[in-house]
Amino acid sequence: MTNPVTMTMTVGDTGDSSPTSGETSDTTPTTGGDPTEDPTGEPMDEPHALGTILLGESHPAVAGNTTPFVSASFIPDVDGGGGGGAACTESVAGCQIALIPDCNDSCEFDQFCGFDAGCQPTCQAVCDAQCAQGEVCYFPAPNTPGCKKLETFDAGALTFIGTPLPITLFPPYSFMSEANASPFAPGGVAKIQATGASGAGYEKFEKEFTGTDFMQTSPKLSTIGFAEVFGAGPLPVKWTPGKGQVTITATVQSADFKFGTITCKADDASGGFDVPREALKAAIDGGDISNLTVSVQRQRTDLFKDLTTKGELTGVTVQPIGFLQIITSSTEFHAFQGCSQGEAVCNNECVDVQFDTANCGGCGKTCVAGDDCDSGTCTGQGACIACDTAAMTGACKAENAACDADPECGKFEDCYDKCQTQACVDDTCIPLLLDQSDFDLFNAQFECTCGSCFDECAQFC
């Protein structure tokens, strides 16, 4: 890999990115980004609470329904970690690959594997205190679980005014809709009213926001050719230019069912982005891509820094100043079907590398004339001789040296290699062996070669 690889940690998404009714995890947009930064990229150093309201729609590149989704979440103290956990990523060719912690099965029964502040996998304690109804487990001190009253931090009822869909949400802000419509109008102005939290949370507010332009790929994702999707070069993605924040997400599956996801930030005004092939393959540890789902998302964020909060929470600081980001999101997606199991993309087409003599076991691995390809391995005289030659200086070096050191075994081996029939071996070569020990030396060499080259020499051993 020629591109530098770095690891970074970001605070987890503040919006609820889980699929809503009618969605799948492949097409669900996430808010992304770091909630400690505003949409312009400037750090928001002032201690604050953070509210995130997301209105989005996702639609397929081919004919299909639009799926609306709405979520809301409120964090009492961004700097104090009052929100979600941390996510570690690997940067490959300018795109981000989400990492999964692996502690090599070293965690105890009361621990789970997670990342520490330096993105190193580490075993962390499970909060396992036996709490009463209406209580929740937490850590009042490191590795010391305790119980506290179940508390919420919200902004009361949320009512959207001027949106295409009538929307009113109550904590915990669940949204379900079967409407084939977007919850916002592109470029349209709407309002959100919050009644204010009854306990801890945001005070009453009313804010106006503007919907982002709908994402439209051009040419459509569905028209990208097979060779461009599964070939060796970058994956070209293009769209009608706009003024939002564009994120391209690709979920990759390998032939052995390994999955990985990459995200790439793009310049909306450019109208296009070439997704690096090395990033796509790195998501599945360099394997061949068998299936690929691509989504292109445009976001607009309206940020407000003048809200206030109230109330207290056990063990968590509630910052008096509240920030609010209202995000509108439009996503277009498409799934690409690659080669079947046992096939690989060679010269931009699916090839059965299990039985193709020109691509046996992989692209460009050609069997010599007269040999066959069986289960990804060349078999026949040519393959057997090549494997035998390699074994004589590798796995069977000791047996070969022992036969060469014995004059009669060496003579028999030379004779055997020249014979084309069993009758030749019986009549010409066998008489050269003076005793059983000479024959045993040759047999040891022969058996070692057949063991090391069983597939290549199956018809000769």
Side-chain angles (χ1 to χ4, degrees):
M1 185 179 300
T2 58
N3 295 82
V5 176
T6 59
M7 296 178 68
T8 59
M9 172 174 279
T10 58
V11 178
D13 292 342
T14 58
D16 181 2
S17 58
S18 59
T20 57
S21 176
E23 286 187 82
T24 67
S25 57
D26 287 337
T27 62
T28 303
T30 57
T31 60
D34 186 342
T36 63
E37 295 185 1
D38 72 19
T40 65
E42 294 297 325
M44 299 193 292
D45 295 329
E46 183 181 13
H48 62 277
L50 180 64
T52 300
I53 298 173
L54 173 64
L55 300 94
E57 66 81 28
S58 61
H59 58 273
V62 293
N65 291 340
T66 293
T67 301
F69 51 91
V70 181
S71 67
S73 65
F74 296 86
I75 300 172
D77 181 16
V78 170
D79 294 333
C88 292
T89 61
E90 180 182 29
S91 179
V92 177
C95 296
Q96 302 300 313
I97 301 176
L99 300 180
I100 300 175
D102 183 4
C103 297
N104 297 317
D105 298 324
S106 62
C107 298
E108 301 294 337
F109 72 94
D110 58 349
Q111 295 179 320
F112 69 94
C113 186
F115 286 121
D116 62 16
C119 279
Q120 296 300 312
T122 181
C123 294
Q124 302 175 20
V126 173
C127 198
D128 56 2
Q130 299 299 312
C131 300
Q133 186 175 2
E135 293 183 333
V136 64
C137 184
Y138 81 118
F139 289 101
N143 297 318
T144 305
C147 296
K148 67 177 181 178
K149 182 180 178 181
L150 184 61
E151 301 169 304
T152 61
F153 188 82
D154 55 63
L158 302 177
T159 301
F160 296 82
I161 302 172
T163 54
L165 295 176
I167 304 170
T168 299
L169 302 180
F170 292 89
Y173 304 125
S174 175
F175 174 79
M176 297 182 64
S177 175
E178 296 181 357
N180 178 23
S182 169
F184 64 90
V189 177
K191 290 183 179 181
I192 179 171
Q193 292 179 341
T195 60
S198 58
Y202 274 52
E203 296 275 10
K204 177 180 178 180
F205 64 80
E206 179 177 312
K207 294 297 180 182
E208 189 175 87
F209 64 94
T210 303
T212 190
D213 292 329
F214 289 147
M215 171 56 69
Q216 299 182 80
T217 56
S218 179
K220 288 291 186 181
L221 288 175
S222 55
T223 65
I224 301 178
F226 182 89
E228 293 177 304
V229 175
F230 296 101
L235 173 66
V237 177
K238 299 183 184 299
W239 59 88
T240 302
K243 299 179 181 179
Q245 300 165 302
V246 170
T247 301
I248 300 170
T249 302
T251 299
V252 189
Q253 178 187 334
S254 66
D256 57 354
F257 303 105
K258 180 177 292 184
F259 289 87
T261 299
I262 71 168
T263 57
C264 309
K265 301 294 185 181
D267 176 22
D268 195 352
S270 70
F273 183 83
D274 290 335
V275 181
R277 182 64 50 178
E278 53 266 48
L280 292 170
K281 292 180 71 67
I284 48 175
D285 297 332
D288 292 327
I289 300 172
S290 62
N291 292 290
L292 178 65
T293 299
V294 178
S295 66
V296 188
Q297 178 190 87
R298 173 181 287 127
Q299 285 188 349
R300 173 191 167 96
T301 302
D302 290 307
L303 178 65
F304 307 93
K305 301 181 179 182
D306 58 349
L307 288 78
T308 57
T309 66
K310 64 178 181 178
E312 296 180 353
L313 295 172
T314 304
V316 177
T317 299
V318 176
Q319 295 292 348
I321 297 175
F323 290 7
L324 175 69
Q325 54 184 5
I326 304 176
I327 302 171
T328 52
S329 168
S330 176
T331 303
E332 188 166 294
F333 63 90
H334 187 71
F336 299 91
Q337 176 68 47
C339 299
S340 302
Q341 189 171 7
E343 296 182 333
V345 180
C346 301
N347 294 324
N348 297 324
E349 64 180 6
C350 290
V351 174
D352 188 347
V353 294
Q354 298 299 302
F355 300 99
D356 186 350
T357 56
N359 302 278
C360 189
C363 298
K365 297 181 179 180
T366 305
C367 301
V368 299
D371 283 3
D372 298 319
C373 180
D374 185 9
S375 300
T377 301
C378 292
T379 63
Q381 185 174 9
C384 184
I385 291 174
C387 186
D388 175 70
T389 301
M392 288 300 96
T393 57
C396 303
K397 182 178 181 179
E399 289 80 0
N400 182 45
C403 181
D404 289 344
D406 182 86
E408 284 70 28
C409 182
K411 292 178 183 178
F412 178 82
E413 182 179 18
D414 290 340
C415 180
Y416 181 89
D417 290 341
K418 296 176 182 177
C419 283
Q420 300 295 317
T421 65
Q422 185 61 44
C424 173
V425 174
D426 294 340
D427 297 339
T428 307
C429 302
I430 293 294
L432 297 175
L433 297 172
L434 300 180
D435 54 42
Q436 183 63 37
S437 63
D438 300 323
F439 193 63
D440 290 343
L441 286 173
F442 177 79
N443 273 348
Q445 179 182 247
F446 186 83
E447 290 171 359
C448 179
T449 300
C450 283
S452 301
C453 305
F454 179 80
D455 292 330
E456 294 83 351
C457 303
Q459 57 185 306
F460 304 107
C461 292

